[in-house]
Amino acid sequence: MYGLIPAPVSVEVSEGHCLIGCLPGFGYEKQFEPEVSVVASWLAQQLPKTIPEEYRQADIISINVYNDLVKGGTEAYKLFIRPTVIEIHVASAAGVVRAGATLAQLVSAHGCRLPCLSIEDQPRYSWRGFMLDTVRNFFSVDFILRQLDLAALHKLNMFHWHLSDDQAWRLDLEEMPELAAHGAQRLDRRFNVVKWKGGSYSAADVRRVVEFAASRHISVIPEIDVPGHSSALLASHPELWCRSAHDDRHFLPEDRYGIFDAVLCAGRDESLNLVGRVFSGLSGLFPGKYLHAGGDEVPKEQWLVCEHCRARMRDEGLQDKHGNFDPERLQAWFMEQVQVGINGLGRTMVGWDELVDGGCSRDVLIMAWRSTGHGAKAAELGYKVVMCPQNKACYLDHKHLDLEEEPGQLGICTVRDAYAFDPHPEGLSAAAAANILGGQANLWTELVYFGKQAEYMLYPRLSAIAEALWSPKAVRDFASFASRLELHGRFLDRLQVNRYRGPLE
Ligand code: ACM
Ligand code: ZN
């Protein structure tokens, strides 16, 4: 399969070769111009800087794009490589970019002399994502654009952008400048001269990311994590903490990692008002269907002693079956208010799988991170689910190997483990199976300070997960993947990806 990752649905090789004598011209309908320009830039990256003498006489080939595919969905494509022409057939613009990713990989593998072949291809899942935590460490817009480009070259189509957590608030909203002013920098105490460290993304930065992603048919899902993981939010709004009359606690973005009691007071209307304004600001910046509101890892002890939270539980009848105040139900109630606000903006809320514990509207898309079992349970209950289980699958902050000298935290996930990821666990009912939209890889960055380190954690495990999400089960095979990875590795090298090169298992 010529180093193609993800593996296409079908590849048929025929006689002959197509010689590329120069950067080929394109024939296409005007509407495909943005996509064609992305594909042309990919080919220019992969073609040799000087075309070898023997190919210069080749017939000038043309890459013709036809908008005539009727089956396979918006991202499907057919690619024909013939001696003097390359044809791409699509059902929509997205297919042009997906076909272009295949073509770029073929050119990487074969240079100017492509084998004649025909490829038919379409994705297994509609949600093929990756998450980057830009909170624990700050990453530049240029780095994010580069990761989007690499993701598109692997046919991924969802970018989950983790923008708030205990350690920082990264979004500089024009209407609420205090959030980034107090939340975007944290004290770096690693040296004896303690400094503020961090950064935030302006509206212009977000527009660059969203537009670049759109040109590659990647949707951006921003995440603001509430009501937990909120130290950096409370840094500018300490009044939203469950304080008593004698408590004047102040908050700073955390310089430690873990789970903290910096949780928004679920009893105060002000908390919901603020979260509502934040998501309203987000909806103006991010045009996609989904807004992610977090909801994971919420310590709830202080809700039980806070007079506002207790009043809320009393007024809303949030008790357990023994009649005691139930903070799980308070979280469910809080997230429901957030969800109603997000729906009012015409968007769908995404939340981590803890939301299923207390129950929520079936309109919420659940991201199953604790385990595939949590995702299966949610799917059986009727939620739409994206699988990103932490254990030996989708958490790319884990080490590649069980070695002291490998970077990483909290677990081991070999390339083989990542490859074995399947969003559909055994034994699901047909209805539940239909609720699973796909999966994604998550890169948390507590120990990832620099972009080059991020690439080491991502690749080639993200290549493996991209195949798990795109390729039909019938063509997936680890031995084949491992052998394609030899050529694919050179493709990544040409793009100067700082990939992991060690054993795959
Ligand atoms: C998570 O890893 N807490 C979503
Ligand atoms: Zn409270």
Side-chain angles (χ1 to χ4, degrees), residues 19 38 54 71 82 150 200 222 375 401 412-413 476:
L19 303 183
V38 169
E54 67 265 37
K71 281 204 313 225
R82 310 195 204 281
L150 292 170
S200 61
L401 294 176
I412 318 290
C413 175
R476 286 186 56 204

Side-chain angles (χ1 to χ4, degrees), residues 240-243 263-268 302-310 330:
L240 304 184
W241 157 254
C242 293
R243 82 186 44 236
V263 172
L264 299 183
C265 175
R268 289 169 212 256
Q302 74 261 28
W303 285 354
L304 282 169
V305 293
C306 165
E307 59 173 299
H308 300 278
C309 288
R310 291 176 70 86
L330 180 55

Side-chain angles (χ1 to χ4, degrees), residues 356-371:
V356 178
D357 299 349
C360 60
S361 152
R362 296 304 186 267
D363 183 61
V364 176
L365 175 72
I366 298 297
M367 272 190 182
W369 73 276
R370 287 179 295 179
S371 72

Side-chain angles (χ1 to χ4, degrees), residues 123-131 154-160 221 352 365-369 372 375 384-389 393-396 418 421-425 433 435-442 462 464-470:
R124 179 174 175 202
Y125 289 107
S126 63
W127 191 296
R128 306 179 308 279
F130 74 110
M131 187 213 79
H154 289 83
K155 303 187 173 77
L156 297 177
N157 68 344
M158 296 284 175
F159 171 49
H160 170 178
I221 300 98
W352 297 108
L365 175 72
I366 298 297
M367 272 190 182
W369 73 276
T372 330
K384 294 277 184 276
V385 172
V386 169
M387 291 282 194
C388 50
C394 295
Y395 268 40
L396 302 189
F421 169 54
D422 192 307
H424 273 89
N435 283 335
I436 296 174
L437 305 187
Q440 68 178 37
N442 296 338
L462 190 53
I465 289 172
E467 178 151 314
L469 297 173
W470 176 279

Side-chain angles (χ1 to χ4, degrees), residues 364-492:
V364 176
L365 175 72
I366 298 297
M367 272 190 182
W369 73 276
R370 287 179 295 179
S371 72
T372 330
H374 285 88
K377 178 183 159 201
E380 293 290 357
L381 288 170
Y383 296 97
K384 294 277 184 276
V385 172
V386 169
M387 291 282 194
C388 50
Q390 56 182 334
N391 191 30
K392 292 199 177 296
C394 295
Y395 268 40
L396 302 189
D397 54 331
H398 292 189
K399 288 167 173 258
H400 281 277
L401 294 176
D402 188 7
L403 287 178
E404 199 58 39
E405 56 269 29
E406 277 297 330
Q409 60 181 8
L410 300 171
I412 318 290
C413 175
T414 65
V415 176
R416 189 185 187 115
D417 292 332
Y419 190 80
F421 169 54
D422 192 307
H424 273 89
E426 303 279 311
L428 284 177
S429 69
N435 283 335
I436 296 174
L437 305 187
Q440 68 178 37
N442 296 338
L443 181 58
W444 303 102
T445 59
E446 284 90 341
L447 297 183
V448 181
Y449 298 97
F450 301 105
K452 287 289 163 197
Q453 295 168 334
E455 288 182 2
Y456 183 92
M457 304 311 284
L458 288 167
Y459 289 99
R461 290 185 293 194
L462 190 53
S463 313
I465 289 172
E467 178 151 314
L469 297 173
W470 176 279
S471 306
K473 239 177 154 169
V475 308
R476 286 186 56 204
D477 170 62
F478 183 68
S480 154
F481 174 80
S483 107
R484 280 177 281 127
L485 197 52
E486 307 251 323
L487 275 175
H488 191 74
R490 278 183 251 158
F491 171 68
L492 297 176

